Amino acid sequence: MKASIIIPSYNSKHRLYLNLLSLTYQDYLQQDYEVIVVDNGSTDDTIDMLSKFKANFPLITVRLDQNKGIAYGRNQGIEKAAGDILIFHDSDMIASKDYIRKHIEAHQITNKVVCGLCWRRIYSFYYKSFKTFHQQLFKKLNNQYPEIHRVNDNVYQLISEQQIQDGSFINYAFDFDNVSLFSYLKDTLQTYGEHLMGYHFPWRFFLTNNASVERKKVLEMGLFDENNPHWGFEDFDLGYRLYKSGSEFAVRHDIISSHQEHERNYTTKEIKLSTDYWFEKYNEIHSIDMLLSLLFDIASIFPPMQPIIEPNHLNVLMAEIYEMQKQDDCQDLLDLFREMLQHAKNKYLNQNELTPFDSDKCFNMVKDLKEKYGMIHFPEAFYALHHYLSKV
């Protein structure tokens, strides 16, 4: 078996159905891939739909009576997988016809993490419960849908099975530019190219709505971290561990799957709990790159927050920090910087205040750093963090 497509699903029956349809019409030998759907405690008759779905590929269903988090659900699918390549594909995606083939072909070189485009979106259903943002964006797109089918009093299906089969659904897909993370990732690709040469944060492209990796590598990394059951960043965590283990990352513009828009299925409380967990897990100076990345991601999720450090300075800042990590006389300063990142996270999330520290001593250390090593970006980031934390 060449590939296993892992799809966790929670109360996403209608969107999951269109997802499976798109995997039915792939231009790849159906006997060479399997699809594993993990029904993560759904209450919307997902399991009934799956039992009736007519797949032309091996379809494996795992039913979990209790939702123990997305990481646990994905891991249950991975443990059932027989494919050499794991393709992660969320339940609310619609894949292009060449999706599976291109993911598999991209792994002709071993030890590679392949990230498809993560910012394509589509309105496959219209929900009357849409909040103002989706209502306005849907109206702005002004798409003319040839077939609109009423599913129930709240839901109208806009994309038909025929459009999935002939591939014309792609005409209704669009780039989602309303999240600063996606704008940053696009700019990163322009600068560093699809192989991300010289880029120190490649795991930020590892979003499990469109990514693939060798199964043996995921098993070596210990799968997804199940200790955090809350929504958020479990994909970045695995991507980070893959990167640190030596995996090469590549972004493929031509591997496309479109996210079916729906109302947010996580809460602000969950994001905060998840953020706290990852900040604690990586609370040491050799993981400052992960802490910096997470701090940017919080700002992108909770607008109108602005990043403390300029996005286009992030990579050169990290290059300087890597050099500092090699110097014994920089360890105290890096530890203070780590602590300041923790405080910045807490202030972002309105959790607590900064504990006092010796500013004069810190500034003298930074001054010595500039004079001894000629560094520019770390001092700028340090001063920016200090200014943010000092504001009332």
Side-chain angles (χ1 to χ4, degrees), residues 10-215:
Y10 177 69
N11 286 347
S12 183
K13 177 178 72 173
H14 300 299
R15 297 188 298 274
L16 174 62
Y17 180 79
L18 295 187
N19 181 333
L20 294 175
L21 275 181
S22 73
L23 298 178
T24 299
Y25 298 113
Q26 293 290 300
D27 63 2
Y28 199 77
L29 292 174
Q30 283 84 3
Q31 63 264 33
D32 281 350
Y33 66 90
E34 64 183 1
V35 176
I36 303 174
V37 177
V38 180
D39 180 17
N40 211 355
S42 298
T43 58
D44 65 349
D45 295 327
T46 291
I47 200 69
D48 182 60
M49 181 276 288
L50 289 170
S51 68
K52 297 174 181 176
F53 187 84
K54 296 179 180 180
N56 60 0
F57 48 76
L59 175 60
I60 300 169
T61 298
V62 179
R63 166 65 184 181
L64 304 178
D65 291 330
Q66 181 181 359
N67 189 329
K68 297 181 181 179
I70 192 68
Y72 180 84
R74 286 202 187 97
N75 287 347
Q76 294 303 301
I78 292 169
E79 290 177 1
K80 297 287 186 181
D84 296 327
I85 305 298
L86 299 178
I87 302 175
F88 297 110
H89 199 230
D90 286 345
S91 61
D92 44 17
M93 307 299 292
I94 302 180
S96 59
K97 288 178 175 291
D98 54 6
Y99 178 79
I100 292 175
R101 174 172 59 83
K102 288 188 173 180
H103 263 295
I104 292 174
E105 289 176 351
H107 285 276
Q108 292 177 359
I109 300 174
T110 60
N111 198 28
K112 201 164 191 177
V113 177
V114 178
C115 306
L117 289 191
C118 58
W119 46 74
R120 295 295 286 173
R121 296 290 189 266
I122 191 170
Y123 283 105
S124 57
F125 294 90
Y126 185 84
Y127 301 87
K128 284 187 175 180
S129 58
F130 269 155
K131 299 295 190 294
T132 302
F133 167 77
H134 278 300
Q135 292 178 7
Q136 291 176 345
L137 180 56
F138 182 81
K139 184 177 180 180
K140 180 180 178 181
L141 292 170
N142 194 32
N143 286 326
Q144 301 301 310
Y145 296 92
E147 298 181 38
I148 298 178
H149 170 68
R150 179 180 175 274
V151 178
N152 56 45
D153 289 342
N154 180 54
V155 183
Y156 290 82
Q157 184 171 338
L158 307 174
I159 299 297
S160 68
E161 295 186 19
Q162 179 61 40
Q163 288 171 304
I164 302 291
Q165 181 176 359
D166 62 27
S168 62
F169 75 89
I170 203 72
N171 298 326
Y172 297 88
F174 59 95
D175 279 6
F176 190 70
D177 295 320
N178 294 73
V179 175
S180 58
L181 171 62
F182 293 153
S183 297
Y184 173 75
L185 293 180
K186 286 183 177 182
D187 291 343
T188 299
L189 280 180
Q190 290 290 323
T191 304
Y192 298 98
E194 291 192 344
H195 293 286
L196 304 174
M197 298 299 295
Y199 182 58
H200 300 306
F201 303 87
W203 65 86
R204 302 192 78 203
F205 288 91
F206 188 70
L207 295 168
T208 42
N209 61 10
N210 187 357
S212 60
V213 62
E214 295 168 47
R215 178 166 58 95

